[in-house]
Amino acid sequence: MRGLKTPLGAAAALSMAFLLFAVVLGPILWGDDAIEVDTMALAQGASAAHPMGTDGLGRDVLARTMVAARPSVGLALLATLITVAGGLLLGGLPAVLGRRAGRLLNGFIGLVVAFPGLLIALVLAVVLGSGGRPAAFAIGLAGVPAFARLTQTLAASVAGRDFVAAARVLGVGRTRMLVRHILPNIGEPLIVQATLGAGGALLAFAALSFLGLGVQAPDYDWGLLLNEGLNRVYVNPAAALAPGIAVVLAGLAFNVLGEYAAQVFGGRSPAARGAGGSARPVPGDALTVKDLRVSYGPAVPVKGVSFTVGAGERVSLVGESGSGKSLTALAASGLVEPPGVVAGSIEAGETAMVFQDPMTSLNPALRVGTQLAEVATAHERLARRAAGRRAVARLTDVHIAAAAKVARQYPHELSGGMRQRAMIAMGLMGTPRLIIADEPTTALDVTVQKQILDLLREVSDSTGAAILLISHDLAVVAQLCSRVLVMYAGVIVEDLTVERLVAGPAHPYTRALLASVPDMSADRSQPLATIPGRMPSPADPVAGCPFAPRCPRAGDRCLTAMPPFEDGVACWHPIKEVS
């Protein structure tokens, strides 16, 4: 509701009110006047009794224009519905059909899109015959190819995402993949396009009726009224003006609604995408997570995670690939996209995110300084020049030489270490209380890794921001953090200090992780230590401890009951001695 206070939101509300008033109340309020024949007032001009004049039978033109709103808008919406349904069907079929059939269908759609939509509508209107519904079908079918092409393009952009690949691994069929995983993720732009397309359908329908291919007498719509009015335009211009204004206003109303939908869906904050979770600043801890769950249908990669990160604290979340640590960080930042469902409580202050691969996080088509400045202009409403100066200052803060020159360069012109520094600088464009760094040193050599870790430590010390470091490299963790959260199969199994991690953790999984890290003193004649078995699938329910099938200390109780989280560890048989 807050968006309705903006000029665009207010215009959208007024447009919706106008359409609902005309469609719902028009025939009720003006129905009798629209059919009342007055032989004493045939084809009269505008007057007090008839503000827009009368037609050839003495019927009030304004009343007929208001009554015509229902068939005009209704048939335009029917055409839009046909366009959307047909476009989704044709646009989604290539993902369901085989490769050869999909290519043939794509080629057919590409061929049809080359022809103007209005020309196709005229041909179909002639073939289907005159009348309101045939014209609606003609306009709807004419819009199908363009909507199908948009659906194909959007679906292709989603098909390569990680959650789609995960669904394929889980054995999800093609049809279910399309309905459950692809279409929900492209629904927002399609809704916007459908809303905007309704205005075009209204204009096209009025054009067909004007040409005699749409609604036929004695029924009427705005297009037919416009045709009748133009025949007497030199006698009574208002008779043509009334339906013309109605068409323009209704078309503008649909366009405004479309623009508002684009603003609502496109500008929705990331925190709002995390359904079920809450994100609000708190005076104490930088981040508080309680019973966080993230699910993708039957798969639940994060299962009831709870932890806190104090103000200025540096905490690491470690675990094997697939343990849920990155997804936990995304949920804490409000960046989990549908069809992911987030439940639980997330209380956070202003958060900055440093992603694993800055080359894919930075827009390759925009200069580095422009991307940094966008943060300040969008979130703090700074003027462009002031935001640009702050971007240069932040690049300087992260020890980038010739920051002004770097701000004018594109991401591909920077080295990997400089791109990662630029990502950190982007996070500092505001005043974050928490910096979430997701594997920030994975793609960097060891020298640059140390520089980035030193930089994160310096940023934390100078700004007081807390750090949540996502990593699988325990050596990196020990250099930066004071506390470690160990995650396995979507749950936190141990919470311990770095000192305790080095001395000897209590959970067998944490010890197995440490043992699998090679060091200079390792016996080279022996094979590297590994953890046997594999992590359970997020879609498989686990009754007991998820690590039990791989744990040498597991007993019968471990396989049937989940251990409680007590004294910083969730284990029925914790290791108490220090190694």
Side-chain angles (χ1 to χ4, degrees), residues 199-219:
L202 179 72
L203 297 177
F205 194 87
L208 289 183
S209 293
F210 179 81
L211 295 174
L213 298 174
V215 174
Q216 303 295 308
D219 297 327

Side-chain angles (χ1 to χ4, degrees), residues 320 488 531-535 549-550:
E320 292 178 81
Y488 182 83
I531 305 176
R534 63 178 58 187
M535 192 180 302
R550 308 171 71 184

Side-chain angles (χ1 to χ4, degrees), residues 61 64-76 131-133 135-136 139 201-229 239 242-244 246-247:
V61 172
R64 287 170 65 80
T65 300
M66 298 303 297
V67 172
R70 181 175 293 178
S72 299
V73 174
L75 290 172
R133 290 194 175 182
I139 295 171
L202 179 72
L203 297 177
F205 194 87
L208 289 183
S209 293
F210 179 81
L211 295 174
L213 298 174
V215 174
Q216 303 295 308
D219 297 327
Y220 57 93
D221 69 334
W222 287 333
L224 188 61
L225 291 179
L226 186 60
N227 181 290
E228 295 175 355
V247 171

Side-chain angles (χ1 to χ4, degrees), residues 430-478:
T431 54
R433 297 188 64 219
L434 174 68
I435 299 175
I436 299 178
D438 186 5
E439 304 274 10
T441 62
T442 298
L444 306 176
D445 61 69
V446 291
T447 303
V448 181
Q449 280 186 14
K450 185 178 185 305
Q451 294 173 356
I452 296 300
L453 293 176
D454 290 341
L455 177 60
L456 287 172
R457 184 185 300 105
E458 178 184 332
V459 167
S460 177
D461 291 339
S462 61
T463 65
I467 291 180
L468 179 61
L469 176 67
I470 312 300
S471 181
H472 63 272
D473 191 337
L474 295 178
V476 169
V477 170

Side-chain angles (χ1 to χ4, degrees), residues 35-368:
I35 61 176
E36 182 179 354
V37 176
D38 186 357
T39 57
M40 302 300 295
L42 303 179
Q44 287 187 353
S47 64
H50 307 286
M52 291 296 176
T54 60
D55 64 0
L57 296 178
R59 294 171 296 191
D60 187 86
V61 172
L62 179 60
R64 287 170 65 80
T65 300
M66 298 303 297
V67 172
R70 181 175 293 178
S72 299
V73 174
L75 290 172
L77 293 178
L78 175 61
T80 304
L81 181 62
I82 295 171
T83 295
V84 172
L88 289 176
L89 179 62
L90 287 184
L93 273 179
V96 178
L97 299 174
R99 180 175 299 180
R100 180 174 299 178
R103 287 180 177 177
L104 290 175
L105 184 58
N106 288 339
F108 171 75
I109 294 175
L111 178 64
V112 178
V113 167
F115 292 91
L118 187 57
L119 177 61
I120 298 176
L122 287 171
V123 173
L124 290 175
V126 173
V127 173
L128 296 175
S130 58
R133 290 194 175 182
F137 273 91
I139 295 171
L141 292 175
V144 166
F147 202 87
R149 174 53 58 86
L150 175 63
T151 303
Q152 285 180 336
T153 303
L154 294 172
S157 68
V158 173
R161 303 287 291 273
D162 291 343
F163 66 84
V164 176
R168 289 196 183 100
V169 172
L170 291 174
V172 176
R174 291 180 177 180
T175 302
R176 186 177 178 85
M177 179 81 70
L178 176 67
V179 175
R180 290 292 301 273
H181 297 279
I182 294 180
L183 289 182
N185 282 282
I186 62 175
E188 295 174 0
L190 292 179
I191 291 173
V192 173
Q193 181 62 30
T195 309
L196 294 172
L202 179 72
L203 297 177
F205 194 87
L208 289 183
S209 293
F210 179 81
L211 295 174
L213 298 174
V215 174
Q216 303 295 308
D219 297 327
Y220 57 93
D221 69 334
W222 287 333
L224 188 61
L225 291 179
L226 186 60
N227 181 290
E228 295 175 355
L230 283 179
N231 292 331
R232 304 186 308 276
V233 67
Y234 296 108
V235 178
N236 180 21
L241 186 63
I245 291 176
V247 171
V248 172
L249 289 179
L252 288 175
F254 278 118
N255 286 340
V256 170
L257 289 174
E259 291 294 333
Y260 180 67
Q263 184 185 77
V264 170
F265 289 128
R268 188 170 56 176
S269 65
R273 293 180 176 266
S278 61
R280 56 186 182 274
V282 291
D285 296 326
L287 174 65
T288 301
V289 176
K290 296 179 180 178
D291 196 25
L292 174 65
R293 295 175 60 87
V294 182
S295 58
Y296 291 87
V300 186
V302 179
K303 305 177 178 72
V305 168
S306 300
F307 65 92
T308 61
V309 178
E313 189 179 16
R314 296 195 286 268
V315 179
S316 179
L317 192 59
V318 301
E320 292 178 81
S321 296
S323 60
K325 54 188 186 299
S326 292
L327 194 56
T328 299
L330 290 175
S333 303
L335 297 178
V336 174
E337 297 183 355
V341 177
V342 180
S345 173
I346 303 170
E347 298 179 354
E350 186 173 346
T351 303
M353 188 82 178
V354 180
F355 293 97
Q356 179 174 349
D357 187 358
M359 192 59 198
T360 58
S361 301
L362 293 170
N363 191 327
L366 297 178
R367 300 179 191 273
V368 172

Side-chain angles (χ1 to χ4, degrees), residues 368-380:
V368 172
T370 301
Q371 299 183 60
L372 267 67
E374 186 178 21
V375 177
T377 56
H379 293 281
E380 299 189 10

